[in-house]
């Protein structure tokens, strides 16, 4: 079995196909998902300090709002002198295929977003109680 | 169904524990290059009972657990195994006293339940689809569609920052609402485009305010090509607006559930 680094459709980079999960992806996946041993056995987590990471939940806050407002403001600066907005949007949609919008700014934003996760030392045994996941759906 | 809680008392002295990665069929083989959690990485071995097995490694109980390397090792091991055999992944951090305990307290009492789940899983694996909006594109879209956002933006032009905090908060809130609505619609679109290739789908919580979609699929490994093709089509449609990523094949983290936990 091999995994292509590009989508089999040859989408010209339309879909990013990393060969492995990044740490951020791993954090999203293995910390609050999967079978919980405590549900089966009571003798788990024997005397080991497990570092856990607060699961990130996106909660819209004033900071988020201000960031959006700032981004809109930045947008204006970048595009000034190019006429009204509807015009601008039209150009963007037409030129979408040619235009490579993914740039340094996007990368910086992503890393800022990921930065929210931080390691916190956790007592190690207690609050790892099983959280119910949705039951397996079958057709 | 729960194991006795007082059985660990005689084991208190031991300095190593047994880290459990997941459950698989008994014919699973450990690859020699498999790296476990811990520093140095534990050697991965297999504890078998009847028709099922657990992937485990020794772990030093004195050291902390949960470094980036530990997290990556846990997932990489399970994902590699999931490409070969059905695997029920444990959540990160499952440690038992020793291999004997894994066999007697985890595998034996739940043998039939685990075996049934493995059979049900068959050749299916998990895929994660993540979409992230391209900021400029999505903001322009919102401004063109939401008149109040457009008006507020006009009001703010040329105004000093400290005098307009409330207005800016108001504008940001409107944008956030609009993006949330777009996320719901675009998430539904991803699910719709891909669900025909999947036995099950689920939507994860967004991890970023500009997430466009965060969807997990349980799909046959053999249909990966079709899945990639369908997603690439969506990616082309959304080029310049949403950056899509596909992760997998992964162990089915989002699709395992502990029935015994219902008590």
């Amino acid at each position: 079995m091999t995994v292509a680094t590009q989508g089999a459709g040859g989408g010209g980079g339309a879909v990013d196909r990393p060969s492995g999960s990044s740490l951020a992806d791993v954090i999203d996946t293995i910390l609050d998902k999967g079978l919980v041993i405590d549900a089966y056995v009571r003798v788990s987590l024997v005397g080991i300090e497990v570092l856990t990471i607060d699961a990130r939940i996106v909660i819209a806050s004033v900071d988020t709002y201000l960031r959006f407002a700032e981004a809109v403001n930045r947008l204006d600066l970048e595009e000034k002198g190019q006429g009204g907005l509807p015009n601008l949007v039209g150009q963007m949609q037409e030129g979408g295929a040619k235009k490579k919008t993914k740039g340094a700014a996007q990368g910086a934003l992503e890393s800022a977003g990921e930065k929210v996760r931080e390691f916190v030392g956790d007592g190690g045994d207690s609050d790892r109680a099983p959280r119910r996941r949705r039951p397996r759906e079958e057709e | 169904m729960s194991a006795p809680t007082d059985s660990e008392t005689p084991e208190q002295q031991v300095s190593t524990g047994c880290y459990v990665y997941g459950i698989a069929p008994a014919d699973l083989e450990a690859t020699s290059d498999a790296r476990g959690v811990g520093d140095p990485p534990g050697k991965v071995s297999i504890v078998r009972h009847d028709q099922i097995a657990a992937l485990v490694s020794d772990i030093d109980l004195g050291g902390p657990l949960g470094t980036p390397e530990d997290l990556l090792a846990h997932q990489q091991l399970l994902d590699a195994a999931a490409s070969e055999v059905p695997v029920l992944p444990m959540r990160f951090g499952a440690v038992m006293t020793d291999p004997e305990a894994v066999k007697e307290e985890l595998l034996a009492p739940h043998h039939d339940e685990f075996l049934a789940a493995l059979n049900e899983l068959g050749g299916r694996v998990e895929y994660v689809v993540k979409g992230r909006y391209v900021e400029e594109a999505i903001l322009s879209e919102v401004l063109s569609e939401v008149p109040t956002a457009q008006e507020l933006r006009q009001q703010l032009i040329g105004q000093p920052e400290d005098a307009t905090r409330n207005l800016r908060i108001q504008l940001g809130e409107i944008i956030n609402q609009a993006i949330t609505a777009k996320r719901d619609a675009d998430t539904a679109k991803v699910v719709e485009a891909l669900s025909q290739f999947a036995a099950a789908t689920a939507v994860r919580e967004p991890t970023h305010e500009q997430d466009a979609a965060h969807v997990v699929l349980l799909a046959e490994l053999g249909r990966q090509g079709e899945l990639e093709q369908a997603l690439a089509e969506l990616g082309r449609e959304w080029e310049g607006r949403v950056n899509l990523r596909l992760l997998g094949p992964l162990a089915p983290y989002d699709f395992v559930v502990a029935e015994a936990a219902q008590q």
Side-chain angles (χ1 to χ4, degrees):
Chain A
M1 220 258 356
T2 52
V3 180
T5 45
Q6 285 288 335
V15 178
D16 182 20
R17 195 72 174 90
S19 56
S21 295
S22 69
L23 183 60
D25 297 322
V26 170
I27 289 168
D28 286 342
T29 298
I30 66 172
L31 286 182
D32 67 345
K33 299 178 181 70
L35 291 178
V36 180
I37 204 164
D38 310 34
Y40 291 95
V41 217
R42 302 280 171 221
V43 291
S44 60
L45 299 172
V46 273
I48 193 161
E49 183 196 356
V50 179
L51 308 173
T52 60
I53 297 158
D54 275 346
R56 295 165 320 143
I57 303 169
V58 175
I59 300 166
S61 63
V62 167
D63 282 350
T64 310
Y65 301 155
L66 288 172
R67 205 158 49 240
F68 275 133
E70 213 176 285
V72 169
N73 187 42
R74 229 180 15 244
L75 197 68
D76 292 340
L77 289 175
E78 284 162 11
E79 313 288 358
K80 77 179 164 195
Q82 290 198 29
L85 194 85
N87 181 22
L88 215 180
V89 172
Q91 285 170 0
M92 246 178 140
Q93 283 164 349
E94 280 164 29
K98 297 173 266 177
K99 196 172 167 189
K100 262 283 157 244
T101 10
K102 186 177 180 176
Q106 172 77 4
L109 260 176
E110 286 196 30
S111 56
E114 317 294 12
K115 217 166 56 185
V116 182
R117 320 156 195 234
E118 276 173 32
F119 282 93
V120 262
D122 175 68
D125 57 347
S126 55
D127 54 279
R128 299 189 61 81
R131 248 183 292 162
R132 280 314 99 76
R133 301 299 302 176
R134 66 186 63 74
R136 174 193 297 259
E137 300 161 47
E138 276 297 327
E139 302 186 304
Chain B
M1 287 294 269
S2 64
T5 48
D6 53 355
S7 63
E8 78 264 48
T9 319
E11 312 278 352
Q12 287 298 324
Q13 306 304 327
V14 299
S15 61
T16 58
C18 187
Y19 186 96
V20 187
Y21 299 86
I23 314 284
D27 55 4
L28 170 82
E29 301 287 337
T31 52
S32 54
D33 60 340
R35 285 165 44 98
V37 298
D39 181 26
K43 188 173 165 3
V44 177
S45 59
I46 291 169
V47 177
R48 293 185 174 85
H49 173 76
D50 201 350
Q51 295 182 66
I52 61 171
L55 277 156
V56 302
S57 66
D58 285 346
I59 184 162
D60 177 7
L61 294 183
L65 177 67
T67 63
E69 290 73 28
D70 291 337
L71 300 172
L72 288 166
H74 177 99
Q75 184 166 357
Q76 281 164 1
L77 184 79
L78 286 168
D79 292 348
S83 297
E84 309 290 333
V85 293
V87 175
L88 307 176
M90 305 296 295
R91 186 177 300 184
F92 181 84
V95 181
M96 297 183 72
T97 45
D98 54 32
E100 197 58 27
V102 172
K103 187 172 168 176
E104 298 302 326
E105 295 165 24
L106 182 63
L107 297 182
H110 308 286
H111 178 273
D112 295 352
E113 187 187 340
F114 287 149
L115 186 62
L118 289 168
N119 288 335
E120 200 181 338
L121 189 60
R124 299 183 188 120
V125 290
E126 178 168 318
Y127 295 91
V128 177
V129 178
K130 292 190 85 169
R132 181 72 57 87
Y133 289 120
V134 176
E135 187 178 64
E136 296 89 336
I138 204 67
L139 291 179
S140 299
E141 204 176 296
V142 169
L143 285 174
S144 71
E145 289 169 6
V146 184
T148 47
Q150 178 72 278
E151 284 159 25
L152 281 169
R153 173 183 146 276
Q154 297 290 358
Q155 282 184 48
L156 284 168
I157 290 173
Q159 298 293 314
E161 274 212 351
D162 47 352
T164 56
R165 185 178 156 87
N166 288 342
L167 269 189
R168 285 185 290 124
I169 289 172
Q170 208 184 328
L171 172 59
E173 190 172 3
I174 290 169
I175 292 170
N176 188 65
Q177 276 171 6
I179 290 180
T180 303
K182 285 179 182 297
R183 175 186 306 131
D184 291 346
D186 290 333
T187 298
K189 197 166 173 180
V190 170
V191 171
E192 194 197 326
L194 303 180
S195 60
Q196 57 178 311
F197 309 110
T201 60
V203 174
R204 282 190 187 174
E205 289 297 312
T207 59
H208 188 281
E209 64 254 17
Q210 287 177 33
D211 271 4
H214 199 180
V215 172
V216 286
L217 311 157
L218 186 68
E220 294 285 341
L221 191 55
R223 303 196 73 178
Q224 181 171 313
E226 295 171 80
L227 186 69
E228 286 172 338
Q229 213 152 351
L231 191 65
E233 218 164 283
L234 199 57
R236 279 191 291 273
E237 187 184 327
W238 279 345
E239 174 122 44
R241 178 180 183 263
V242 177
N243 291 321
L244 285 172
R245 298 172 65 213
L246 175 65
L247 299 174
L250 312 175
Y253 306 92
D254 291 75
F255 299 97
V256 292
V257 67
E259 307 231 355
Q262 303 299 328
Q263 62 213 315

